[in-house]
mmCIF file of all heavy atoms in Angstrom:
data_model
loop_
_atom_site.group_PDB
_atom_site.id
_atom_site.type_symbol
_atom_site.label_atom_id
_atom_site.label_comp_id
_atom_site.label_asym_id
_atom_site.label_seq_id
_atom_site.Cartn_x
_atom_site.Cartn_y
_atom_site.Cartn_z
ATOM 1 N N LYS A 1 66.068 7.993 -19.989
ATOM 2 C CA LYS A 1 64.694 7.548 -20.228
ATOM 3 C C LYS A 1 64.601 6.033 -20.137
ATOM 4 O O LYS A 1 65.421 5.329 -20.689
ATOM 5 C CB LYS A 1 64.220 8.011 -21.603
ATOM 6 C CG LYS A 1 64.176 9.518 -21.740
ATOM 7 C CD LYS A 1 63.764 9.920 -23.138
ATOM 8 C CE LYS A 1 63.801 11.413 -23.290
ATOM 9 N NZ LYS A 1 63.451 11.838 -24.658
ATOM 10 N N GLY A 2 63.582 5.567 -19.434
ATOM 11 C CA GLY A 2 63.299 4.141 -19.341
ATOM 12 C C GLY A 2 61.901 3.889 -19.856
ATOM 13 O O GLY A 2 61.252 4.789 -20.390
ATOM 14 N N GLU A 3 61.426 2.680 -19.667
ATOM 15 C CA GLU A 3 60.064 2.338 -20.069
ATOM 16 C C GLU A 3 59.343 1.695 -18.900
ATOM 17 O O GLU A 3 59.969 1.098 -18.020
ATOM 18 C CB GLU A 3 60.068 1.369 -21.250
ATOM 19 C CG GLU A 3 60.569 1.992 -22.532
ATOM 20 C CD GLU A 3 60.380 1.069 -23.723
ATOM 21 O OE1 GLU A 3 59.659 0.062 -23.599
ATOM 22 O OE2 GLU A 3 60.958 1.368 -24.770
ATOM 23 N N ILE A 4 58.040 1.822 -18.907
ATOM 24 C CA ILE A 4 57.179 1.122 -17.967
ATOM 25 C C ILE A 4 56.230 0.282 -18.806
ATOM 26 O O ILE A 4 55.591 0.789 -19.727
ATOM 27 C CB ILE A 4 56.380 2.102 -17.084
ATOM 28 C CG1 ILE A 4 57.340 2.917 -16.214
ATOM 29 C CG2 ILE A 4 55.364 1.354 -16.236
ATOM 30 C CD1 ILE A 4 56.668 4.040 -15.457
ATOM 31 N N THR A 5 56.151 -1.007 -18.500
ATOM 32 C CA THR A 5 55.266 -1.913 -19.223
ATOM 33 C C THR A 5 54.166 -2.365 -18.280
ATOM 34 O O THR A 5 54.446 -2.854 -17.191
ATOM 35 C CB THR A 5 56.040 -3.144 -19.734
ATOM 36 O OG1 THR A 5 57.134 -2.692 -20.536
ATOM 37 C CG2 THR A 5 55.150 -4.062 -20.542
ATOM 38 N N VAL A 6 52.916 -2.187 -18.707
ATOM 39 C CA VAL A 6 51.764 -2.589 -17.900
ATOM 40 C C VAL A 6 50.973 -3.620 -18.694
ATOM 41 O O VAL A 6 50.476 -3.336 -19.779
ATOM 42 C CB VAL A 6 50.875 -1.370 -17.553
ATOM 43 C CG1 VAL A 6 49.672 -1.797 -16.739
ATOM 44 C CG2 VAL A 6 51.689 -0.312 -16.815
ATOM 45 N N ALA A 7 50.856 -4.826 -18.136
ATOM 46 C CA ALA A 7 50.141 -5.922 -18.796
ATOM 47 C C ALA A 7 48.626 -5.725 -18.675
ATOM 48 O O ALA A 7 48.151 -4.770 -18.053
ATOM 49 C CB ALA A 7 50.554 -7.248 -18.176
ATOM 50 N N ASP A 8 47.881 -6.650 -19.231
ATOM 51 C CA ASP A 8 46.424 -6.620 -19.158
ATOM 52 C C ASP A 8 45.939 -6.950 -17.750
ATOM 53 O O ASP A 8 46.609 -7.663 -17.003
ATOM 54 C CB ASP A 8 45.822 -7.636 -20.127
ATOM 55 C CG ASP A 8 46.035 -7.250 -21.581
ATOM 56 O OD1 ASP A 8 46.210 -6.039 -21.858
ATOM 57 O OD2 ASP A 8 46.036 -8.149 -22.433
ATOM 58 N N HIS A 9 44.761 -6.437 -17.427
ATOM 59 C CA HIS A 9 44.068 -6.730 -16.179
ATOM 60 C C HIS A 9 44.880 -6.286 -14.959
ATOM 61 O O HIS A 9 45.073 -7.039 -13.999
ATOM 62 C CB HIS A 9 43.690 -8.208 -16.091
ATOM 63 C CG HIS A 9 42.958 -8.676 -17.302
ATOM 64 N ND1 HIS A 9 41.678 -8.263 -17.593
ATOM 65 C CD2 HIS A 9 43.343 -9.465 -18.327
ATOM 66 C CE1 HIS A 9 41.294 -8.805 -18.738
ATOM 67 N NE2 HIS A 9 42.291 -9.531 -19.208
ATOM 68 N N VAL A 10 45.365 -5.049 -15.026
ATOM 69 C CA VAL A 10 46.140 -4.446 -13.947
ATOM 70 C C VAL A 10 45.372 -3.245 -13.416
ATOM 71 O O VAL A 10 44.774 -2.489 -14.182
ATOM 72 C CB VAL A 10 47.531 -3.992 -14.462
ATOM 73 C CG1 VAL A 10 48.250 -3.124 -13.449
ATOM 74 C CG2 VAL A 10 48.367 -5.208 -14.829
ATOM 75 N N TRP A 11 45.403 -3.063 -12.105
ATOM 76 C CA TRP A 11 44.813 -1.880 -11.490
ATOM 77 C C TRP A 11 45.919 -1.174 -10.725
ATOM 78 O O TRP A 11 46.532 -1.752 -9.833
ATOM 79 C CB TRP A 11 43.677 -2.254 -10.557
ATOM 80 C CG TRP A 11 43.122 -1.112 -9.774
ATOM 81 C CD1 TRP A 11 43.057 0.200 -10.169
ATOM 82 C CD2 TRP A 11 42.549 -1.152 -8.471
ATOM 83 N NE1 TRP A 11 42.477 0.961 -9.196
ATOM 84 C CE2 TRP A 11 42.152 0.147 -8.136
ATOM 85 C CE3 TRP A 11 42.329 -2.177 -7.560
ATOM 86 C CZ2 TRP A 11 41.555 0.458 -6.923
ATOM 87 C CZ3 TRP A 11 41.726 -1.866 -6.357
ATOM 88 C CH2 TRP A 11 41.341 -0.573 -6.055
ATOM 89 N N ILE A 12 46.185 0.074 -11.085
ATOM 90 C CA ILE A 12 47.156 0.908 -10.388
ATOM 91 C C ILE A 12 46.367 1.987 -9.663
ATOM 92 O O ILE A 12 45.739 2.836 -10.294
ATOM 93 C CB ILE A 12 48.191 1.512 -11.359
ATOM 94 C CG1 ILE A 12 48.940 0.383 -12.077
ATOM 95 C CG2 ILE A 12 49.149 2.421 -10.606
ATOM 96 C CD1 ILE A 12 49.881 0.844 -13.159
ATOM 97 N N ALA A 13 46.406 1.940 -8.344
ATOM 98 C CA ALA A 13 45.604 2.851 -7.526
ATOM 99 C C ALA A 13 46.214 4.256 -7.464
ATOM 100 O O ALA A 13 47.344 4.487 -7.918
ATOM 101 C CB ALA A 13 45.448 2.278 -6.122
ATOM 102 N N THR A 14 45.477 5.150 -6.869
ATOM 103 C CA THR A 14 45.833 6.562 -6.776
ATOM 104 C C THR A 14 47.207 6.795 -6.169
ATOM 105 O O THR A 14 47.572 6.182 -5.178
ATOM 106 C CB THR A 14 44.781 7.295 -5.921
ATOM 107 O OG1 THR A 14 43.504 7.095 -6.511
ATOM 108 C CG2 THR A 14 45.063 8.778 -5.840
ATOM 109 N N GLU A 15 47.950 7.685 -6.778
ATOM 110 C CA GLU A 15 49.248 8.172 -6.314
ATOM 111 C C GLU A 15 50.330 7.100 -6.212
ATOM 112 O O GLU A 15 51.334 7.289 -5.536
ATOM 113 C CB GLU A 15 49.114 8.924 -4.986
ATOM 114 C CG GLU A 15 48.271 10.179 -5.128
ATOM 115 C CD GLU A 15 48.191 10.995 -3.847
ATOM 116 O OE1 GLU A 15 48.864 10.648 -2.846
ATOM 117 O OE2 GLU A 15 47.455 11.983 -3.845
ATOM 118 N N ALA A 16 50.143 5.965 -6.877
ATOM 119 C CA ALA A 16 51.201 4.955 -6.902
ATOM 120 C C ALA A 16 52.345 5.466 -7.776
ATOM 121 O O ALA A 16 52.130 6.188 -8.750
ATOM 122 C CB ALA A 16 50.665 3.644 -7.459
ATOM 123 N N PHE A 17 53.561 5.099 -7.417
ATOM 124 C CA PHE A 17 54.746 5.467 -8.184
ATOM 125 C C PHE A 17 55.303 4.201 -8.816
ATOM 126 O O PHE A 17 55.597 3.229 -8.120
ATOM 127 C CB PHE A 17 55.812 6.084 -7.266
ATOM 128 C CG PHE A 17 57.109 6.365 -7.971
ATOM 129 C CD1 PHE A 17 57.325 7.570 -8.601
ATOM 130 C CD2 PHE A 17 58.114 5.406 -8.008
ATOM 131 C CE1 PHE A 17 58.519 7.830 -9.257
ATOM 132 C CE2 PHE A 17 59.307 5.649 -8.656
ATOM 133 C CZ PHE A 17 59.514 6.864 -9.287
ATOM 134 N N ILE A 18 55.445 4.220 -10.135
ATOM 135 C CA ILE A 18 56.051 3.116 -10.878
ATOM 136 C C ILE A 18 57.331 3.664 -11.493
ATOM 137 O O ILE A 18 57.295 4.615 -12.274
ATOM 138 C CB ILE A 18 55.121 2.585 -11.998
ATOM 139 C CG1 ILE A 18 53.692 2.366 -11.513
ATOM 140 C CG2 ILE A 18 55.723 1.326 -12.619
ATOM 141 C CD1 ILE A 18 53.521 1.318 -10.461
ATOM 142 N N GLY A 19 58.460 3.094 -11.125
ATOM 143 C CA GLY A 19 59.748 3.588 -11.591
ATOM 144 C C GLY A 19 60.103 3.134 -12.994
ATOM 145 O O GLY A 19 59.409 2.308 -13.603
ATOM 146 N N PRO A 20 61.219 3.660 -13.519
ATOM 147 C CA PRO A 20 61.644 3.312 -14.873
ATOM 148 C C PRO A 20 62.063 1.848 -14.978
ATOM 149 O O PRO A 20 62.576 1.264 -14.025
ATOM 150 C CB PRO A 20 62.838 4.237 -15.128
ATOM 151 C CG PRO A 20 63.317 4.651 -13.791
ATOM 152 C CD PRO A 20 62.135 4.608 -12.875
ATOM 153 N N ASN A 21 61.828 1.285 -16.158
ATOM 154 C CA ASN A 21 62.212 -0.092 -16.501
ATOM 155 C C ASN A 21 61.525 -1.142 -15.639
ATOM 156 O O ASN A 21 62.066 -2.220 -15.408
ATOM 157 C CB ASN A 21 63.733 -0.249 -16.448
ATOM 158 C CG ASN A 21 64.421 0.728 -17.368
ATOM 159 O OD1 ASN A 21 64.032 0.878 -18.522
ATOM 160 N ND2 ASN A 21 65.404 1.440 -16.861
ATOM 161 N N VAL A 22 60.309 -0.839 -15.176
ATOM 162 C CA VAL A 22 59.520 -1.778 -14.387
ATOM 163 C C VAL A 22 58.448 -2.384 -15.281
ATOM 164 O O VAL A 22 57.845 -1.691 -16.095
ATOM 165 C CB VAL A 22 58.874 -1.067 -13.175
ATOM 166 C CG1 VAL A 22 57.839 -1.944 -12.501
ATOM 167 C CG2 VAL A 22 59.952 -0.651 -12.185
ATOM 168 N N GLU A 23 58.228 -3.683 -15.120
ATOM 169 C CA GLU A 23 57.156 -4.386 -15.818
ATOM 170 C C GLU A 23 56.120 -4.813 -14.787
ATOM 171 O O GLU A 23 56.453 -5.508 -13.828
ATOM 172 C CB GLU A 23 57.692 -5.610 -16.545
ATOM 173 C CG GLU A 23 58.636 -5.260 -17.680
ATOM 174 C CD GLU A 23 59.130 -6.487 -18.433
ATOM 175 O OE1 GLU A 23 58.447 -7.535 -18.386
ATOM 176 O OE2 GLU A 23 60.192 -6.395 -19.051
ATOM 177 N N ILE A 24 54.865 -4.390 -14.996
ATOM 178 C CA ILE A 24 53.766 -4.811 -14.148
ATOM 179 C C ILE A 24 53.114 -6.008 -14.837
ATOM 180 O O ILE A 24 52.590 -5.885 -15.934
ATOM 181 C CB ILE A 24 52.742 -3.674 -13.929
ATOM 182 C CG1 ILE A 24 53.439 -2.396 -13.413
ATOM 183 C CG2 ILE A 24 51.635 -4.124 -12.992
ATOM 184 C CD1 ILE A 24 54.104 -2.540 -12.069
ATOM 185 N N ALA A 25 53.179 -7.163 -14.181
ATOM 186 C CA ALA A 25 52.694 -8.425 -14.754
ATOM 187 C C ALA A 25 51.166 -8.449 -14.804
ATOM 188 O O ALA A 25 50.499 -7.639 -14.157
ATOM 189 C CB ALA A 25 53.227 -9.588 -13.918
ATOM 190 N N PRO A 26 50.589 -9.395 -15.537
ATOM 191 C CA PRO A 26 49.134 -9.505 -15.630
ATOM 192 C C PRO A 26 48.486 -9.815 -14.275
ATOM 193 O O PRO A 26 49.077 -10.477 -13.430
ATOM 194 C CB PRO A 26 48.911 -10.676 -16.588
ATOM 195 C CG PRO A 26 50.198 -10.896 -17.285
ATOM 196 C CD PRO A 26 51.261 -10.400 -16.369
ATOM 197 N N HIS A 27 47.257 -9.314 -14.127
ATOM 198 C CA HIS A 27 46.436 -9.589 -12.942
ATOM 199 C C HIS A 27 47.123 -9.136 -11.657
ATOM 200 O O HIS A 27 47.225 -9.887 -10.690
ATOM 201 C CB HIS A 27 46.059 -11.071 -12.867
ATOM 202 C CG HIS A 27 45.392 -11.566 -14.106
ATOM 203 N ND1 HIS A 27 44.086 -11.259 -14.414
ATOM 204 C CD2 HIS A 27 45.864 -12.305 -15.130
ATOM 205 C CE1 HIS A 27 43.782 -11.808 -15.574
ATOM 206 N NE2 HIS A 27 44.843 -12.441 -16.033
ATOM 207 N N VAL A 28 47.594 -7.898 -11.669
ATOM 208 C CA VAL A 28 48.265 -7.316 -10.507
ATOM 209 C C VAL A 28 47.494 -6.083 -10.058
ATOM 210 O O VAL A 28 46.974 -5.324 -10.878
ATOM 211 C CB VAL A 28 49.726 -6.944 -10.853
ATOM 212 C CG1 VAL A 28 50.345 -6.016 -9.826
ATOM 213 C CG2 VAL A 28 50.567 -8.200 -10.987
ATOM 214 N N VAL A 29 47.431 -5.894 -8.744
ATOM 215 C CA VAL A 29 46.882 -4.679 -8.152
ATOM 216 C C VAL A 29 48.039 -3.969 -7.456
ATOM 217 O O VAL A 29 48.767 -4.584 -6.670
ATOM 218 C CB VAL A 29 45.773 -5.001 -7.117
ATOM 219 C CG1 VAL A 29 45.334 -3.736 -6.397
ATOM 220 C CG2 VAL A 29 44.595 -5.674 -7.800
ATOM 221 N N ILE A 30 48.203 -2.679 -7.768
ATOM 222 C CA ILE A 30 49.188 -1.840 -7.096
ATOM 223 C C ILE A 30 48.396 -0.913 -6.181
ATOM 224 O O ILE A 30 47.580 -0.116 -6.646
ATOM 225 C CB ILE A 30 50.019 -1.007 -8.095
ATOM 226 C CG1 ILE A 30 50.681 -1.884 -9.156
ATOM 227 C CG2 ILE A 30 51.027 -0.147 -7.348
ATOM 228 C CD1 ILE A 30 51.725 -2.843 -8.642
ATOM 229 N N GLY A 31 48.616 -1.006 -4.878
ATOM 230 C CA GLY A 31 47.862 -0.234 -3.908
ATOM 231 C C GLY A 31 48.193 1.253 -3.942
ATOM 232 O O GLY A 31 49.227 1.671 -4.474
ATOM 233 N N ALA A 32 47.302 2.043 -3.366
ATOM 234 C CA ALA A 32 47.477 3.497 -3.309
ATOM 235 C C ALA A 32 48.813 3.853 -2.658
ATOM 236 O O ALA A 32 49.199 3.277 -1.647
ATOM 237 C CB ALA A 32 46.332 4.127 -2.527
ATOM 238 N N ARG A 33 49.524 4.761 -3.298
ATOM 239 C CA ARG A 33 50.805 5.294 -2.838
ATOM 240 C C ARG A 33 51.930 4.274 -2.742
ATOM 241 O O ARG A 33 52.963 4.528 -2.136
ATOM 242 C CB ARG A 33 50.646 6.031 -1.521
ATOM 243 C CG ARG A 33 49.758 7.253 -1.645
ATOM 244 C CD ARG A 33 49.762 8.086 -0.418
ATOM 245 N NE ARG A 33 48.963 9.294 -0.665
ATOM 246 C CZ ARG A 33 48.840 10.253 0.210
ATOM 247 N NH1 ARG A 33 49.430 10.175 1.375
ATOM 248 N NH2 ARG A 33 48.109 11.309 -0.083
ATOM 249 N N ALA A 34 51.753 3.116 -3.346
ATOM 250 C CA ALA A 34 52.837 2.124 -3.385
ATOM 251 C C ALA A 34 53.979 2.672 -4.235
ATOM 252 O O ALA A 34 53.766 3.463 -5.156
ATOM 253 C CB ALA A 34 52.334 0.812 -3.967
ATOM 254 N N VAL A 35 55.199 2.236 -3.935
ATOM 255 C CA VAL A 35 56.382 2.646 -4.692
ATOM 256 C C VAL A 35 56.995 1.388 -5.298
ATOM 257 O O VAL A 35 57.612 0.580 -4.597
ATOM 258 C CB VAL A 35 57.404 3.372 -3.796
ATOM 259 C CG1 VAL A 35 58.660 3.716 -4.584
ATOM 260 C CG2 VAL A 35 56.775 4.628 -3.195
#
């Protein structure tokens, strides 16, 4: 088991994959189906 951290003001689009132990920084957009 890992963790995923998502900061404020983040948009994660449809079907995006975020793996374990990843930190999404503030003011980030993750596009659809991004890995």
Side-chain angles (χ1 to χ4, degrees):
K1 297 177 183 178
E3 291 188 13
I4 296 172
T5 304
V6 179
D8 291 335
H9 308 290
V10 169
W11 174 31
I12 300 174
T14 303
E15 296 184 5
F17 175 89
I18 313 296
N21 303 313
V22 169
E23 294 182 23
I24 307 297
H27 305 285
V28 165
V29 173
I30 305 295
R33 296 189 176 184
V35 177

